[in-house]
């Protein structure tokens, strides 16, 4: 049998089978260390710089180890790439076929029970939509879904042409963890979620996403099996997302939409029972309890009426606290009214769902200020109450230690310099082995880091105009092909307006602005254009891969410190300060440095990429903490001379001059 050096080396099966495969010492090093961790059933944290080829570096050991492996990724897009492309290619190259399953969250699968309910007069659709929208969109789509439901095997709604997850029909024909009837569902024998999880339990390798992985503890209570418990090894790609996602998972969240859908489902079930002449005194009490809960929900809406945004919910906010208490009591009364239902009935499941919501509200309302931050988020459609715990390290460590097996965490951004302490500390992985692998790319030759001098402080009103003044000559030298990354939507809007005003109707480059088209469409058209200028905020700082000449300049507006005006950030700062810690050193600085590392990582994505990263923030050189940011970045050549940056860009700009373009959004 070939060893890893043979597999990843010259003339090996990967080089022979895969077009464009490059032999990289760094990839072999990671594969060897991952293989060792899988064999020893240990925890390993690996930062693998861009270009390492970390996907193959963990797929090969996963296929060869003979263990049952769960692979978790950051997005469904990465899931699909692993399932449809990467795993089949590697398995074929190695001659090691494996049973592979792709498992999505239950909201991606058709719920036959809820589809039947939608067919029964369409009450749910009427509750969710305006009369004007219903005949135009929902009814034709619902008819299409009914026809598709007769033939689909997997029940994956991605198979339905023209159906997006934002369509008003989607929530009416899918189940959430709260609304799923589980083993009590009359359609359980034909349930697509059950089928998908059964296939996953029979597979050698299962591909999930982080949300599904972290929710599995709750999902197993529905009788669908325990994916974590059945895996010998868990590999988490894009692992830098895990601390924040796990914080959400270990917190509590109740939104007005959840409560509305619950009360509508109860009403619908009570109506169905009344039509079947199976209702009695208990149904009358439940109907009255529904009305009382609806009134209490209205009181919370009224008490939380304020401009949209996220706010700290303090105990002193008497109006909100009183209204939430009323809603919690109303849900408890409804749960009690449903408690007498047949344990196997839908009403019993709805009663349990009601009790869960009431318990979540009680947890949010009663939390100690040292345990977590409470927020009230107000949107145009309703409100959401949340609890975010400050420290999840003990709970996550217990999760890892409670499942004997290997845990592999990998990403391009997990450490600062040589230190993994910020990442491992948040997850309680203090005893995990660590490995840092530098990018094989020659950043010193391929890129230039330009730190412009003379810009005002970021708090100044003139700052964003100064950033645009700095960026435009560089964009012109590069011939387009630029990302301009902002740290707030306000700065993004201001920057877009300034660029449009400057270029007027004679824009030399097409302008792509986040929010004016879907993210994937913006990226697709930016790549195809080749000379575009894309303006974005947080979602473009990571998970964006533009290889080749289409991206040759990345301008970063300022250091990405989280806004202290955000109630969660402010609460965490206050908590760390009250606990005797240094909030800036232990929280704000490392989070910002890792975010900057992500942003600069957008530029060099292959051995053939060249370009300039511009960080406009004068604090990078003017403040002592700037060295933390610089230490987190690749070893790029640094300059403060604008002509150096323009010369580098002109040298590597495409030869063809761009034609004049419209500045309108795509």
């Amino acid at each position: 049998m070939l060893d890893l050096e043979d597999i990843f080396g010259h003339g090996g099966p990967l080089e022979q089978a895969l077009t464009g495969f490059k032999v990289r010492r760094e990839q072999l090093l990671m594969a060897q260390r991952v293989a060792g961790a899988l064999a020893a059933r240990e925890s390993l944290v690996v930062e693998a710089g861009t270009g390492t080829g970390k996907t193959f570096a963990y797929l090969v050991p996963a296929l060869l180890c003979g263990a049952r492996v769960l692979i978790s990724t950051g997005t469904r897009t990465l899931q699909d790439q692993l399932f449809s492309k990467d795993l089949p290619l590697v398995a074929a190259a190695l001659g090691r076929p494996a049973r592979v399953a792709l498992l999505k969250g239950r909201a991606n699968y058709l719920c036959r029970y809820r589809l039947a309910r939608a067919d029964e007069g369409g009450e749910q659709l009427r509750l969710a939509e305006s009369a004007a929208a219903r005949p135009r969109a929902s009814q034709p789509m619902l008819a299409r879904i009914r026809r598709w439901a007769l033939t689909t095997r997997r029940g994956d709604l991605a198979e339905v042409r023209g159906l997006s997850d934002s369509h008003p029909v989607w929530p009416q024909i899918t189940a959430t963890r709260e609304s799923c009837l589980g083993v009590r569902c009359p359609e359980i024998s034909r349930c697509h979620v059950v089928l998908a999880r059964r296939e996953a339990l029979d597979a050698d390798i299962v591909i999930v996403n982080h949300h599904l992985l972290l929710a599995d503890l709750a999902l197993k209570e529905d009788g669908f099996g325990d994916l974590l418990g059945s895996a010998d090894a868990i590999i988490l790609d894009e692992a830098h997302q895990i601390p924040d996602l796990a914080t959400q998972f270990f917190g509590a969240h109740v939104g007005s939409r959840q409560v509305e859908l619950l009360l509508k489902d109860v009403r619908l079930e009570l109506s169905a029972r009344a039509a079947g002449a199976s209702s009695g005194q208990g149904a009358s009490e439940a109907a009255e309890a529904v009305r009382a809960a609806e009134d209490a929900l209205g009181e919370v809406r009224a008490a939380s009426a304020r401009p949209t945004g996220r706010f700290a919910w303090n105990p002193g906010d008497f109006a909100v606290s009183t209204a939430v208490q009323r809603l919690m009591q109303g849900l408890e009364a409804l749960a009690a009214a449903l408690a007498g239902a047949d344990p196997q009935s839908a009403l019993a499941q709805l009663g349990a769902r009601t009790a869960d919501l009431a318990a979540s509200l009680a947890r949010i309302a009663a939390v100690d200020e040292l345990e977590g931050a409470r927020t009230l988020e107000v949107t145009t459609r309703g409100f959401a109450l949340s609890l975010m715990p400050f420290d999840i390290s003990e709970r996550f460590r217990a999760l890892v230690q409670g499942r004997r097996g290997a845990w592999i965490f990998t990403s391009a951004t997990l450490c600062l310099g040589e230190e993994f302490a910020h990442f491992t500390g948040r997850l309680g992985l203090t005893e995990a082995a660590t490995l840092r692998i530098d990018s094989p790319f020659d950043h010193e030759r391929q890129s230039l880091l330009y730190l412009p001098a003379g810009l005002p402080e970021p708090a100044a009103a003139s700052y964003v105009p100064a950033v645009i003044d700095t960026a435009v000559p560089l964009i012109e030298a590069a011939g387009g092909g630029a990302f301009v990354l902002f740290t707030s939507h306000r700065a993004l809007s201001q920057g877009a307006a300034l660029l449009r005003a400057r270029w007027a109707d004679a824009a030399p480059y097409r302008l792509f602005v986040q929010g004016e088209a879907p993210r994937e469409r913006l990226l697709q058209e930016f790549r195809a254009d080749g000379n575009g200028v894309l303006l974005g905020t947080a979602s473009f700082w990571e998970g964006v891969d533009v290889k080749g000449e289409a991206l040759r300049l990345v301008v970063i507006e300022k250091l990405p410190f989280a806004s202290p005006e955000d109630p969660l950030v402010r609460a965490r700062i206050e908590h760390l300060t009250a606990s005797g810690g240094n909030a800036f050193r232990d929280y704000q600085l490392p989070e910002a440095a890792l975010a900057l590392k992500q942003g600069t990582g957008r530029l060099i994505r292959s051995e053939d990429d060249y370009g300039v990263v511009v960080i406009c923030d004068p604090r990078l050189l003017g403040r002592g903490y700037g060295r933390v940011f610089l230490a987190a970045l690749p070893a790029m050549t640094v300059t403060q001379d604008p002509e150096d940056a323009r010369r580098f860009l002109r040298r590597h700009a495409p030869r063809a001059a761009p034609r004049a373009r419209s500045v309108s959004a795509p």
Side-chain angles (χ1 to χ4, degrees):
M1 180 182 296
L2 291 173
D3 63 17
L4 291 176
E5 289 192 18
D6 294 327
I7 291 171
F8 286 97
H10 290 290
L14 293 182
E15 187 177 58
Q16 291 182 32
L18 306 179
T19 303
F21 178 82
K22 297 182 183 300
V23 175
R24 298 186 178 112
R25 180 184 59 81
E26 295 84 358
Q27 187 177 47
L28 172 61
L29 175 62
M30 177 175 170
Q32 290 172 328
R33 191 63 188 86
V34 169
L38 292 175
R41 302 290 181 92
E42 66 176 348
S43 295
L44 172 67
V45 180
V46 181
E47 176 177 288
T50 305
T52 300
K54 60 183 171 64
T55 301
F56 287 5
Y58 64 70
L59 286 183
V60 170
L63 283 165
L64 296 179
C65 70
R68 188 164 187 279
V69 180
L70 194 68
I71 300 174
S72 183
T73 71
T75 65
R76 284 180 293 182
T77 301
L78 291 174
Q79 273 187 277
D80 291 335
Q81 178 174 323
L82 278 172
F83 179 74
S84 303
K85 181 182 176 183
D86 294 339
L87 253 171
L89 283 174
V90 174
L94 298 180
R96 292 293 294 264
R99 293 174 298 174
V100 180
L102 174 65
L103 185 61
K104 299 180 180 180
R106 68 178 62 235
N108 292 278
Y109 298 98
L110 172 71
C111 174
R112 293 185 180 276
Y113 178 81
R114 291 179 70 83
L115 177 64
R117 290 320 221 214
D119 286 342
E120 292 173 1
E123 179 174 345
Q124 290 178 314
L125 295 177
R126 287 196 294 274
L127 289 167
E129 302 170 325
S130 69
R134 184 167 61 252
R136 183 178 67 252
S138 295
Q139 294 306 324
M141 180 56 72
L142 189 58
R144 181 183 300 171
I145 292 168
R146 291 192 194 106
R147 292 192 297 271
W148 164 79
L150 298 174
T151 58
T152 181
R153 188 185 76 84
R154 299 188 60 84
D156 188 339
L157 290 171
E159 299 171 4
V160 181
R161 178 175 50 86
L163 178 64
S164 70
D165 56 9
S166 61
H167 196 288
V169 165
W170 191 289
Q172 311 306 322
I173 58 169
T174 59
T176 63
R177 183 176 67 85
E178 294 85 6
S179 65
C180 176
L181 297 179
V183 294
R184 294 184 289 271
C185 180
E187 294 283 353
I188 188 69
S189 63
R190 300 198 300 158
C191 176
H192 293 299
V193 175
V194 172
L195 172 63
R197 292 183 69 87
R198 187 178 299 135
E199 290 181 350
L201 290 169
D202 290 338
D204 302 311
I205 296 179
V206 184
I207 304 169
V208 299
N209 59 55
H210 296 335
H211 287 277
L212 189 57
L213 175 73
L214 292 169
D216 189 62
L217 289 177
L219 289 171
K220 70 177 182 180
E221 295 172 359
D222 292 340
F224 291 133
D226 178 6
L227 286 176
L228 284 178
S230 64
D232 301 308
I234 298 170
I235 300 173
L236 299 97
D237 201 347
E238 300 299 319
H240 64 276
Q241 300 174 3
I242 294 296
D244 286 341
L245 290 175
T247 298
Q248 296 176 29
F249 173 71
F250 289 129
H253 178 91
V254 175
S256 55
R257 181 69 173 159
Q258 283 176 281
V259 181
E260 288 171 2
L261 290 176
L262 167 68
L263 297 179
K264 289 170 185 175
D265 285 346
V266 175
R267 278 193 178 279
L268 187 63
E269 192 63 33
L270 292 173
S271 297
R273 285 174 169 263
S278 60
S279 60
Q281 179 63 30
S284 176
E285 293 177 2
E288 180 61 34
V290 169
R291 286 190 289 272
E294 287 173 337
D295 291 342
L297 179 62
E299 291 183 25
V300 180
R301 282 187 181 279
S304 60
R306 61 198 71 190
T308 57
R310 188 162 60 180
F311 309 92
W313 175 29
N314 301 312
D317 195 335
F318 183 75
V320 174
S321 297
T322 301
V324 170
Q325 188 73 17
R326 285 280 310 278
L327 178 58
M328 182 183 71
Q329 293 170 347
L331 291 174
E332 289 173 344
L334 177 57
L338 299 175
D342 180 347
Q344 301 302 313
S345 69
L347 276 182
Q349 191 274 341
L350 288 169
R353 182 174 153 198
T354 305
D356 285 345
L357 271 182
S360 292
L361 273 178
R363 183 182 172 203
I364 297 170
V367 67
D368 186 288
E369 63 181 11
L370 295 179
E371 179 188 348
R374 299 189 307 176
T375 62
L376 166 65
E377 186 169 2
V378 179
T379 67
T380 55
R381 298 186 60 183
F383 65 86
L385 299 164
S386 298
L387 161 66
M388 302 288 274
F390 291 129
D391 186 357
I392 62 162
S393 58
E394 291 294 332
R395 296 184 67 180
F396 195 86
R397 178 166 56 220
L399 178 68
V400 171
Q401 293 179 343
R403 283 154 178 78
R404 299 170 62 96
W407 289 72
I408 313 294
F409 300 82
T410 185
S411 169
T413 50
L414 294 178
C415 66
L416 296 171
E418 300 289 336
E419 291 295 323
F420 286 85
H422 182 67
F423 175 79
T424 57
R426 289 190 67 186
L427 295 180
L429 303 173
T430 52
E431 298 177 2
T434 60
L435 173 66
R436 176 176 175 266
I437 300 175
D438 287 329
S439 169
F441 300 152
D442 187 350
H443 285 85
E444 198 165 359
R445 177 180 61 85
Q446 293 177 247
S447 62
L448 187 70
L449 175 60
Y450 171 42
L451 307 178
L455 269 72
E457 286 295 307
S462 60
Y463 185 71
V464 173
V467 169
I468 297 301
D469 287 341
T470 301
V472 167
L474 298 169
I475 293 171
E476 292 171 348
F483 273 10
V484 185
L485 301 178
F486 296 88
T487 58
S488 70
H489 289 281
R490 181 188 305 169
L492 168 67
S493 298
Q494 186 181 0
L498 288 167
L499 270 181
R500 284 185 166 128
R502 181 183 294 247
W503 286 337
D505 295 327
Y509 317 106
R510 189 174 177 189
L511 195 60
F512 301 86
V513 180
Q514 179 180 336
E516 295 181 356
R519 178 176 180 266
E520 290 306 316
R521 180 181 157 198
L522 286 175
L523 284 170
Q524 180 181 2
E525 297 196 15
F526 176 85
R527 292 187 187 100
D529 184 280
N531 298 309
V533 177
L534 187 149
L535 277 59
T537 56
S539 64
F540 286 90
W541 284 67
E542 67 170 286
V544 174
D545 191 16
V546 181
K547 294 179 180 178
E549 290 185 339
L551 180 60
R552 45 203 181 264
L553 172 65
V554 173
V555 179
I556 292 176
E557 171 223 358
K558 65 180 178 182
L559 299 177
F561 286 107
S563 171
E565 298 305 310
D566 182 287
L568 291 175
V569 175
R570 185 166 65 249
R572 186 178 289 276
I573 291 172
E574 292 172 353
H575 168 71
L576 288 170
T577 302
S579 304
N582 185 316
F584 182 78
R585 182 196 63 208
D586 299 335
Y587 168 53
Q588 294 169 279
L589 182 57
E591 289 288 299
L594 287 170
L596 183 68
K597 192 173 183 177
Q598 285 279 356
T600 58
R602 296 314 95 210
L603 182 64
I604 303 300
R605 309 298 297 178
S606 76
E607 290 90 344
D608 301 320
D609 287 353
Y610 290 87
V612 172
V613 173
V614 186
I615 304 176
C616 296
D617 198 324
R619 295 174 295 180
L620 193 64
L621 294 179
R623 305 288 175 87
Y625 57 73
R627 63 179 181 273
V628 176
F629 287 98
L630 291 171
L633 302 181
M636 296 181 282
T637 302
V638 181
T639 184
Q640 285 194 277
D641 185 343
E643 184 53 36
D644 283 349
R646 290 194 292 269
R647 189 183 304 114
F648 190 96
L649 288 167
R650 284 193 293 265
R651 188 187 316 143
H652 296 290
R655 294 181 181 178
R659 61 185 183 278
R661 301 171 187 271
S662 167
V663 297
S664 60

